[in-house]
Amino acid sequence: MTETYRETAADANFIAENNARHMWHPMVDPKKSAETPPTVICKSDGVYIFDLDGNKLLDCSASLWNVNVGHNRPEIKQAITDQLDQLAYYNTFGNASNPPSIALSALLTDMLADEGMTKVLFSSGGSDAVEGALKISRQHWKLVGKPEKTKFLSLKYAYHGVHFGGVSVSGGIPWRRSYEPLLPGCFQIDSPYLYRNPWTGDPDELGEICAANLAREIEHQGADTVAAFIAEPVQGAGGMIVPPANFWPLIREVCDRYDILLIADEVVTGFGRTGSMFGSRHWGVKPDIMCLAKGINSGYVPLGATAVNGRVAGAWEADSALAPLMHGYTYSGHPLACAAALANLQIVVDEDLPGNAGSTGEYFLGRLKELETYDSVGDVRGLGLMLAVEFVTDKKTKEAIAPFHPYLMEIQRICLEHGAFMRIQANKLILSPPLVFQKDHVDNVVDILHTALGQLKYG
């Protein structure tokens, strides 16, 4: 039976017939998957993916923000194969370890020396990394004799993964509502969303207002009860919200003033996507804890990591019954995943992918601004290769086009027909291609978007 089903993976008719019949897909109503089966991706190479019918498509989302070095890189495949010949898997719990995880932990702390990170806890992905950060922050305060510091503050529109902890500090209602009640002690403040905020169109003023809101919320909750503030350096899934330049430095100052840990969710922004090696570094800010995944090994084998600075790690020097790290996953420090990461990060550095993300992203943003002439395009924004086109029913009122509206689905369909695989989140077209994207790829994407928007009219 096993052999038979393994062989059917190469049978196009079987795959098409069974698409969405037996498998639930993340972040979608199962009925929608059944009505409109998802595109089956069968092959990939560089910045391109190929569907079941052999159509060649530009991957405009790097799969899910993560295939930063591009698909089918021989260096990473060779690293995985070489590691398979040595050790396919062994755990890293208490009394065991493996060479790739040790080497990767040393590399990461070296890469994060500017941020002062000294320790790394491996996991299986971004949601895991966030869960680890939340647990570590609570345990830290218990170890230093401040056990009442348990609350978490975060931003509206934030996305921090799918575990109960991550969902609880996420700000998007669609991610939360089906699973409430969530973790108690989690509170959100307004995001520095320049396009949609009730106060100002001035970026610096907005940064000051949002930082002041954080300070007020800390005072309201009681600083002696707040463990950490968690945020993405650039908010991704919640709408590609690029904060004002002064926001993160002001947030760091507020956290220091009230003795609150600052957690940077770098799951998307880490390893070059913003144009800097890390999103926090772009803003010149040193977090206390950093959540890493996605670009750590470009998705070739699942991997995440939570990095901790010397201040936080120092709490574990205490002789306490609470010191053991009672957290971890079967696949924490998986040898294949870590071997892939070592090869991946070498590519990121050797090819200066943060630099390419910065220069190509600036060109991409400039070309996307052309779309603002269309009636349905309310805002175009981005940083590096994190970009968004926000669609509205009216430019003056900024009323958002409803999620899954036929207009948005038609944009997606036409782009697919013309060779670009796009992702639409709510009323926003999200563009987060591999960091090896070049200007000719950008031109192709923007030309396709002109074709789609030129054919369609909202309403």
Side-chain angles (χ1 to χ4, degrees):
M1 181 183 293
T2 302
E3 183 69 18
T4 299
Y5 275 88
R6 185 179 67 83
E7 290 173 351
T8 58
D11 184 333
N13 291 330
F14 177 88
I15 296 302
E17 181 183 342
N18 285 275
N19 187 13
R21 282 186 63 187
H22 311 288
M23 181 169 69
W24 273 356
H25 290 262
M27 302 295 179
V28 68
D29 183 336
K31 293 188 292 296
K32 289 190 178 293
S33 294
E35 293 166 2
T36 307
T39 301
V40 179
I41 306 303
C42 300
K43 181 183 173 183
S44 60
D45 191 60
V47 300
Y48 293 97
I49 52 179
F50 300 81
D51 67 15
L52 193 60
D53 297 320
N55 295 310
K56 183 179 181 180
L57 308 166
L58 275 165
D59 183 0
C60 296
S61 58
S63 187
L64 202 61
W65 315 77
N66 60 335
V67 188
N68 287 4
V69 302
H71 300 273
N72 200 28
R73 293 295 300 241
E75 306 96 313
I76 302 178
K77 293 194 297 182
Q78 189 62 54
I80 294 170
T81 301
D82 290 346
Q83 184 57 44
L84 273 170
D85 289 338
Q86 297 295 319
L87 176 71
Y89 167 74
Y90 209 80
N91 78 83
T92 57
F93 277 54
N95 64 343
S97 192
N98 63 71
S101 65
I102 294 169
L104 182 58
S105 66
L107 172 59
L108 289 174
T109 53
D110 184 49
M111 293 181 75
L112 290 162
D114 287 352
E115 286 69 33
M117 299 295 140
T118 61
K119 300 292 182 182
V120 175
L121 179 64
F122 288 118
S123 58
S124 301
S127 295
D128 297 344
V130 169
E131 196 76 3
L134 299 178
K135 284 186 173 180
I136 286 169
S137 62
R138 279 192 174 177
Q139 189 174 7
H140 162 84
W141 291 118
K142 292 181 188 297
L143 288 171
V144 300
K146 298 181 179 181
E148 290 187 32
K149 288 176 75 70
T150 61
K151 295 175 183 175
F152 299 112
L153 304 182
S154 57
L155 294 173
K156 294 177 182 177
Y157 300 105
Y159 177 75
H160 295 295
V162 296
H163 294 339
F164 260 94
V167 172
S168 299
V169 294
S170 292
I173 298 303
W175 299 312
R176 301 166 56 91
R177 189 168 181 180
S178 296
Y179 308 106
E180 292 173 334
L182 300 173
L183 186 70
C186 299
F187 305 92
Q188 283 83 42
I189 64 167
D190 283 288
S191 290
Y193 195 169
L194 191 60
Y195 183 63
R196 295 184 185 277
N197 78 85
W199 304 293
T200 181
D202 179 77
D204 289 339
E205 185 180 14
L206 179 60
E208 292 171 0
I209 289 170
C210 290
N213 285 346
L214 175 61
R216 278 195 293 273
E217 187 63 28
I218 292 171
E219 291 176 355
H220 174 69
Q221 296 295 333
D224 59 339
T225 70
V226 180
F229 173 73
I230 181 171
E232 305 147 273
V234 176
Q235 289 185 279
M240 208 73 87
I241 301 169
V242 181
N246 64 349
F247 174 76
W248 270 88
L250 288 172
I251 291 298
R252 177 72 272 185
E253 188 276 326
V254 170
C255 289
D256 288 341
R257 190 193 322 159
Y258 293 99
D259 197 20
I260 307 298
L261 297 182
L262 177 57
I263 303 172
D265 182 345
E266 297 260 10
V267 170
V268 168
T269 57
F271 308 106
R273 184 157 290 282
T274 64
S276 297
M277 185 61 77
F278 299 98
S280 305
R281 194 173 294 177
H282 177 86
W283 307 116
V285 168
K286 300 178 181 181
D288 297 297
I289 302 173
M290 298 172 75
C291 309
L292 309 168
K294 294 192 184 293
I296 196 170
N297 69 4
S298 293
Y300 279 67
V301 181
L303 180 66
T306 306
V308 176
N309 71 5
R311 170 202 174 190
V312 174
W316 272 263
E317 295 175 6
D319 185 11
S320 169
L322 295 175
L325 285 161
M326 303 306 292
H327 181 73
Y329 302 90
T330 299
Y331 302 116
S332 295
H334 195 294
L336 300 183
C338 292
L342 291 167
N344 172 79
L345 295 177
Q346 191 68 52
I347 295 170
V348 171
V349 172
D350 288 351
E351 298 185 6
D352 187 21
L353 294 189
N356 186 66
S359 58
T360 303
E362 184 178 5
Y363 178 76
F364 208 161
L365 183 60
R367 286 233 49 199
L368 287 172
K369 289 286 185 180
E370 300 170 12
L371 305 180
E372 291 177 338
T373 58
Y374 295 99
D375 291 341
S376 63
V377 175
D379 191 38
V380 172
R381 56 183 177 268
L383 178 67
L385 285 172
M386 293 183 69
L387 304 132
V389 179
E390 182 163 352
F391 295 101
V392 296
T393 64
D394 185 279
K395 285 180 182 284
K396 291 181 180 179
T397 65
K398 300 182 182 179
E399 180 183 352
I401 294 180
F404 301 107
H405 190 281
Y407 177 81
L408 301 177
M409 298 301 97
E410 275 297 288
I411 292 173
Q412 209 168 24
R413 183 190 64 78
I414 293 171
C415 288
L416 186 67
E417 286 185 351
H418 286 79
F421 193 82
M422 303 281 191
R423 183 165 179 255
I424 290 181
Q425 179 85 24
N427 70 317
K428 303 162 195 77
L429 173 67
I430 302 295
L431 294 159
S432 55
L435 305 191
V436 293
F437 234 52
Q438 300 298 319
K439 290 181 179 179
D440 60 324
H441 302 127
V442 170
D443 291 336
N444 195 355
V445 171
V446 176
D447 289 348
I448 290 170
L449 285 169
H450 274 301
T451 298
L453 295 176
Q455 291 182 20
L456 299 170
K457 185 173 179 61
Y458 178 82

